[in-house]
Each structure stands twice: as structure tokens, then as C-alpha cells.
Amino acid sequence: MSLSRYATSATGMNLLAFLAYYQVLEFFFARYSELEAIRKARTNLRNPLFNIEDDGQLGRLLMLGGGAKGRSERDQLKATLRSCLEVDEIDTFVLHHPERAAHLKNKKKIVDVSIINVENRGVDLIDQVAYRIYEIRCRVVHAKDGGGHDSKLLMPYSPEVKELSHDVDLVRFCAQRALIASAGPIQH
């Protein structure tokens, strides 16, 4: 909640707000990666075709047991979003705001990041959201001098950063859903 309040206070500072909301999501990575690993392991063990004598199948099952360990940050983000969001919530969030929908599927507003096109059901919608959020995060935190990657940086006061408001709204929406999904009973 503290990170969320911090992000909310970053009015007019798109990079800061984006990263603070991303940190809210990141806080839950280990929890939801572990839950996804448990669910997948349980599904494998219940499968009547699972053969305990098959080293390949056992190896894949053991790989699941690592939870967040050994999983990429992008995969942890996807696990978190899958646990906290429903596809119809994303549809509603995007489609009820035509400007937002147009921004998120425009390849030119913020270059070198995946688009979100709710009409494209060939790519899982939660994956589309995870890819975009993660790629923007990378363009912000990996801003380094040299290496010939200057075109990919998202630097303060750049024209692209001014275009980030819809993406800040998206990552805020996801962070709010993670907070709601993770909420427990109120202690008195």
C-alpha cells in the first residue's frame, strides 16, 4: 500500500509513477509464481498419463518446484497478472476508453514495446499486458550510457514519456488488482 500511495503522489511524473506501480506488482512476484508452480505440479501429478518412471516428466515436474527461483522476471509478472486479473476486466478497462485502446495498439506512440490489441485473440490478452508493462519497465531501468542502444531509452522529459499516461493507467490498474487479490481480512 505504501508503494501504491507513493505512485499516486507522482502526479505528472510518468516514469516515477510507472516504476512505483511496477514495484507494487513486483512485491507479489514470489507469492504468485509459487502458487502457479504448485497449481501446475498438481495438474501434472493428477494427469493419468504422468509416469513416475519417466525421467523427462519428473525433471519437468522438479523444474516447477522452484516457484520464483529460476523464472524470468517477465514470467513472474505474467504469473502475478494471471492470478490477479481476468481477461474481461482488461477488455473493459481498455475498450471503455477509446483513446486508451488507440494508444495501446499504436506502435508509434512508444516504440520498441509490444502493443495491446484486445481484438487479437491469437495472443493471450494477459500476455500482451505483461509484455508491454515489462518492456516499458526495461526501457526505463536499463537506461545506460553507450552500447548503441540509445534509441531504446525512456528518459525524463522525452516525447515518449509524455505519451506514457495511458501506460501508467494500465500498470496502476494491474497494481490495484494485485492489492485487491492479495488483501486479507481487516484486523481490529
Side-chain angles (χ1 to χ4, degrees):
M1 286 303 296
S2 180
L3 288 169
S4 182
R5 282 193 298 267
Y6 176 65
T8 302
S9 73
T11 305
M13 296 181 279
N14 286 340
L15 290 179
L16 185 60
F18 186 92
L19 287 177
Y21 284 121
Y22 184 86
Q23 283 183 299
V24 172
L25 293 170
E26 195 172 36
F27 179 83
F28 297 108
F29 282 4
R31 174 190 301 185
Y32 289 117
S33 291
E34 181 78 19
L35 289 174
E36 184 176 74
I38 290 168
R39 183 187 54 75
K40 286 181 178 181
R42 185 174 286 127
T43 299
N44 276 292
L45 290 170
R46 287 180 177 157
N47 184 344
L49 299 177
F50 181 78
N51 180 356
I52 196 166
E53 302 301 324
D54 184 324
D55 290 347
Q57 288 183 14
L58 280 174
R60 284 187 293 281
L61 186 63
L62 290 172
M63 296 275 289
L64 292 174
K69 296 175 188 142
R71 295 186 76 186
S72 72
E73 187 165 339
R74 184 188 308 222
D75 287 339
Q76 292 179 67
L77 175 60
K78 284 197 287 189
T80 300
L81 295 180
R82 285 188 198 297
S83 295
C84 301
L85 285 172
E86 298 293 329
V87 170
D88 63 329
E89 290 179 307
I90 299 168
D91 273 339
T92 301
F93 178 77
V94 173
L95 293 175
H96 279 73
H97 296 81
E99 267 186 41
R100 181 182 296 144
H103 169 82
L104 294 173
K105 68 180 180 180
N106 185 332
K107 294 178 184 179
K108 295 178 183 176
K109 292 284 185 179
I110 301 174
V111 297
D112 297 325
V113 298
S114 299
I115 63 166
I116 298 173
N117 183 352
V118 294
E119 291 93 28
N120 179 6
R121 296 308 177 157
V123 179
D124 182 89
L125 191 52
I126 292 176
D127 285 353
Q128 290 182 55
V129 171
Y131 294 153
R132 184 172 184 96
I133 289 173
Y134 182 74
E135 290 165 3
I136 291 172
R137 172 248 178 232
C138 287
R139 288 197 54 205
V140 174
V141 301
H142 295 298
K144 297 177 184 144
D145 189 24
H149 300 294
D150 293 334
S151 66
K152 295 195 178 216
L153 306 178
L154 269 178
M155 300 298 282
Y157 312 111
S158 68
E160 284 183 308
V161 168
K162 293 175 184 167
E163 295 288 342
L164 267 181
S165 60
H166 291 295
D167 293 287
V168 170
D169 291 343
L170 176 66
V171 73
R172 177 189 310 122
F173 171 77
C174 294
Q176 288 170 341
R177 291 304 181 271
L179 289 167
I180 291 166
S182 303
I186 296 174
Q187 301 296 320
H188 294 285

